Amino acid sequence: MLLKGLWVLGRAVRDEPHMFAISVAGSVVFSLLTIATAFVSGWVVGEIALPAIDERHVTFGTLLLGGVAILAVSIGKIIGIFGRRLGAGAMQFRLQARYRQAVTRRYLRLPLEWHQRHATGTLLSNANADVESAWYPIAPFPMAVGTVVMLVAAIASLFATDWALALVGVAIFPTLLGVNVAYSRRMAPRVARSQQLRAEVSAVAHESFDGALVVKTMGREAAETERFAARTVELRDATIQVGRVRAVFDPVLDALPSIGTLAVLVVGGLRFRQGAVEVAEVVSVAFLFTVLAFPVRAIGWVLAELPRSVVGWERIRHVLDAEGDMAYGSTTLPEVHKPAALRFDDVHFAYTDADGEPGGDVLSGVTFEVPAGRTVALVGSTGSGKSTVAGLAARLVDPHTGVVRLDGVDARDLTQEALVGTVALVAQVPFVFDDTVRGNVTLDRRTAAGHPVDDEAAWSALRLAQADGFVGQLGEGLDTKVGERGTSLSGGQRQRLTIARALAGAPRLLVLDDATSAVDPRVEAAILAALRRDEDRQASILVVAYRRATIALADEVVYLERGRVAARGTHADLLATVPGYADLVTAYEKAEAEKEREHVFDDEESVTA
């Protein structure tokens, strides 16, 4: 653990060499002047205080000289402290900022499959608590380096003063190191357990808060409180274990310099009787051990935090070294103003489990196409693979075998800019940022043609999404803050806002994954009809559909059963020839009718299609 901890500290030095140099320089200045303080104090006692006591007289010049010497050393120590703390603080906070950003960038580059295998609380802990833990020893680290310089200089000074007094120092300092090594070995597993439990507590809390609606409507408050309490108690006990080990270690560390001072006074008294040393030298050495007590603690602080630092670093590295990046190609699509064609060629796909092992196929040999400018409805029962097809179309995941093509080009060969400029996905669950309506629609983007998404484009997209009516009625229009996850909006309003967000980028292929489930059927039909008519935003459309009216608007229907394309054709043809399809659509229609009777959908202000 000690070697791993030193490697982490070495990484910090390589990442921030300039701040480390400043802080260590300040620490060395402070350390050397601390030793100088001991000898200046001894000189003042031996050359000024004792003669003044013997002669009952002291001159002003002598007092002034002693005062100037002490003041000069003190000012030098203040400068050293300033440099050490400024450099160490800047180093620590810059490292924390750098690795928080690195972890977050890595999160954004890793595929959804990786995120689905890790609890949100753990990911939050990696980016926050683990980063802080990894670089927590940085604050005392430069002081510890300066203290090492101080110890070397102190031992050299001791040998220069008297060999017997030097042996006292040689005995104390290795003992100090040995205590720290033993402490690190006992502390490491306890700190690792504590860090893991912090992540688990965070995960349980996040899940409970995120699912507050389910918890409250199902009356699960007590059960969730008990679940959270169980993890919290485990964390409490683990943290107490860490505290117990530290409680044993800290007093020992505090006692060692004091024991050294006592030993110096005993040995120094004997050596003084023998005439080997002067009083001033004994005072200097005793004072040296006294002033060493606090700086020596810096070494203890660093060694005490090394187990925690190593655990934090290893948890960070788990993210930074994670594999599975979706590499982008170098191919672009030149026709940015025309609808894009989508084709699935014998696509197979399976999700992986928590250990990264693939499970059974979700999609098996899926082949179909969305011709340029056409609308294709994807219909199937729950678990048939519809959302997986939508994710593959937007390249949120890649097929295990087979090819997904956009305008005849393998999606894996496209640049990231070409992909996001061509395809827009509106997911089942609408996500709205804690921002204004404008911020949520534009996202400070540019279209594939390079034009900024301005207010005019935002209003145009809102009109197509049938969202301009309710946005116009909001207090501040586009400048209205919608709250975290759009809490000030209804479910249907959030869905229409996310559709407008997708349309604002003028995509050439629009993928709607059950993106209008909370919207009144009349408004959904108006949205799809408007998309088909709009000349400025002509796009091919792949829509995961349930409602008969929506399906009927499609040029073709692809019917999925258990991850396979069971049938393709027009809605009328499939109704007449595929019993399973007819039964499914009829069941959907009955469910929708029941929703309408129960007024499940939002009250719509207007339909502007």
Side-chain angles (χ1 to χ4, degrees), residues 546-553 571 575 582 585-586 588-589 592:
Y546 295 90
R547 295 167 177 159
R548 183 187 291 248
T550 305
I551 299 169
L553 289 173
H571 171 57
L575 272 179
V585 172
T586 300
Y588 286 154
E589 193 169 26
E592 291 298 308

Side-chain angles (χ1 to χ4, degrees), residues 384-595:
S384 59
K386 302 183 299 298
S387 293
T388 302
V389 169
L392 285 162
R395 211 196 162 205
L396 296 181
V397 290
D398 284 329
H400 291 177
T401 60
V403 181
V404 177
R405 302 183 190 276
L406 290 168
D407 280 348
V409 179
D410 189 332
R412 290 169 289 200
D413 294 334
L414 294 175
T415 64
Q416 185 177 21
E417 293 76 14
L419 182 67
V420 298
T422 301
V423 186
L425 169 68
V426 185
Q428 288 177 319
V429 180
F431 182 85
V432 179
F433 293 96
D434 186 7
D435 199 352
T436 62
V437 172
R438 177 187 291 105
N440 271 285
V441 173
T442 65
L443 295 182
D444 293 327
R445 291 173 295 166
R446 288 182 174 271
T447 66
H451 304 303
V453 180
D454 54 17
D455 284 3
E456 182 180 351
W459 278 115
S460 177
L462 288 167
R463 281 191 294 272
L464 281 173
Q466 305 299 305
D468 57 321
F470 79 78
V471 171
Q473 294 174 7
L474 296 175
E476 299 179 62
L478 291 179
D479 294 314
T480 303
K481 294 277 288 186
V482 297
E484 185 179 3
R485 293 178 178 263
T487 52
S488 65
L489 304 177
S490 68
Q493 289 172 337
R494 288 195 294 270
Q495 284 191 330
R496 283 178 285 159
L497 193 62
T498 56
I499 292 173
R501 174 195 296 159
L503 295 174
R508 300 171 54 218
L509 172 65
L510 181 63
V511 182
L512 301 174
D513 182 11
D514 192 22
T516 53
S517 58
V519 173
D520 186 278
R522 295 176 298 111
V523 177
E524 181 190 40
I527 292 172
L528 292 176
L531 291 175
R532 290 167 64 90
R533 290 198 311 266
D534 188 72
E535 296 181 356
D536 296 328
R537 285 188 176 83
Q538 290 186 359
S540 308
I541 300 174
L542 175 64
V543 55
V544 175
Y546 295 90
R547 295 167 177 159
R548 183 187 291 248
T550 305
I551 299 169
L553 289 173
D555 300 298
E556 184 181 31
V557 177
V558 175
Y559 175 50
L560 290 179
E561 276 188 351
R562 297 179 182 178
R564 299 178 181 273
V565 176
R568 291 172 54 186
T570 65
H571 171 57
D573 290 341
L574 295 186
L575 272 179
T577 60
V578 182
Y581 174 81
D583 292 342
L584 184 64
V585 172
T586 300
Y588 286 154
E589 193 169 26
K590 290 179 180 178
E592 291 298 308
E594 185 66 24
K595 284 185 180 180

Side-chain angles (χ1 to χ4, degrees), residues 20 48 80 100 131 149 154 156 190 198 203 209 250 256 292 299 343 355 359 425 439 473 500 514 531 534 555 581:
F20 178 71
I48 298 177
R100 281 196 179 99
V131 170
V149 175
R190 292 169 172 80
R198 287 177 191 275
F209 301 152
D250 284 351
L256 285 175
L292 279 177
I299 297 177
R343 180 171 179 80
D355 298 322
L425 169 68
Q473 294 174 7
D514 192 22
L531 291 175
D534 188 72
D555 300 298
Y581 174 81

